[in-house]
Amino acid sequence: MSTALLIGTTACSSDDNPSGEAPAPSTAQSAADRSSTTSSAPADIPASQVVAGLTAAGYTCGRDGDYAICTTGPVAVWVLTGDHKRPPVVSLHSLGAAEKATADIAKVLPQALEIAHVAPAQRISEWFGQQAGKTTAQVTEGDWQVELSVEVDTEEPGAHLSLMDRLCKTDCVAE
């Protein structure tokens, strides 16, 4: 497994690490430590490394315009690519009936937030768990604006959870 992580990280890493050594694993800082901070500057990683982490975790990743889309089961994690110090947008999507779609997102949310180094991951996951039955909700946690949207009366019902980096100042959304 560590070989797969090394290969995935090396294959998608940027030129910020010319030695070719794998970056320190995300477990170097515990999830509790990351979730207790509002700014996670030391843990920031670019979109390419988030995609590498999702790939190493078993997600299947591809591209659609400005987004990398990584899927696991019924959930797709969209990561806005670019040269930011961290992705300005990370969103999770699942199609289907509202209850099932939100439950599917809830299953992968903690892991996706950890891989993307979104803090405070635990508070965001707990907040999401409290939104059962709602079609829209939003909260600000740390540096992130978090928005839930559930489509119920459409041709493609489903749930969408978007996290936008409030510190991003340029090229913060896809064109």
Side-chain angles (χ1 to χ4, degrees):
M1 174 102 175
S2 62
T3 304
L5 178 61
L6 177 62
I7 292 169
T9 303
T10 303
C12 295
S13 66
S14 67
D15 292 332
D16 293 343
N17 185 3
S19 69
E21 293 181 30
S26 64
T27 56
Q29 182 184 22
S30 75
D33 290 344
R34 281 193 305 274
S35 67
S36 67
T37 62
T38 57
S39 177
S40 59
D44 291 342
I45 60 173
S48 61
Q49 289 183 344
V50 172
V51 173
L54 290 168
T55 300
Y59 290 68
T60 301
C61 297
R63 296 271 314 214
D64 185 1
D66 292 330
Y67 284 91
I69 302 173
C70 300
T71 58
T72 182
V75 178
V77 178
W78 291 47
V79 179
L80 183 61
T81 58
D83 60 358
H84 301 86
K85 68 179 184 175
R86 65 181 179 193
V89 178
V90 175
S91 59
L92 292 87
H93 308 270
S94 184
L95 296 177
E99 187 175 299
K100 178 163 179 12
T102 54
D104 289 339
I105 290 174
K107 288 177 189 173
V108 301
L109 181 60
Q111 178 189 46
L113 296 178
E114 181 178 341
I115 290 169
H117 291 225
V118 171
Q122 182 176 359
R123 288 199 317 243
I124 292 169
S125 294
E126 289 171 358
W127 172 85
F128 182 75
Q130 298 166 357
Q131 305 313 306
K134 295 184 181 177
T135 56
T136 62
Q138 60 181 314
V139 69
T140 300
E141 288 289 352
D143 298 333
W144 298 91
Q145 176 66 35
V146 184
E147 296 180 2
L148 169 66
S149 172
V150 178
E151 305 290 332
V152 290
D153 294 325
T154 66
E155 289 182 25
E156 291 187 8
H160 315 281
L161 182 68
S162 297
L163 298 97
M164 285 81 55
D165 179 4
R166 296 181 318 123
L167 301 179
C168 184
K169 302 299 179 207
T170 58
D171 299 323
C172 302
V173 294
E175 295 294 319

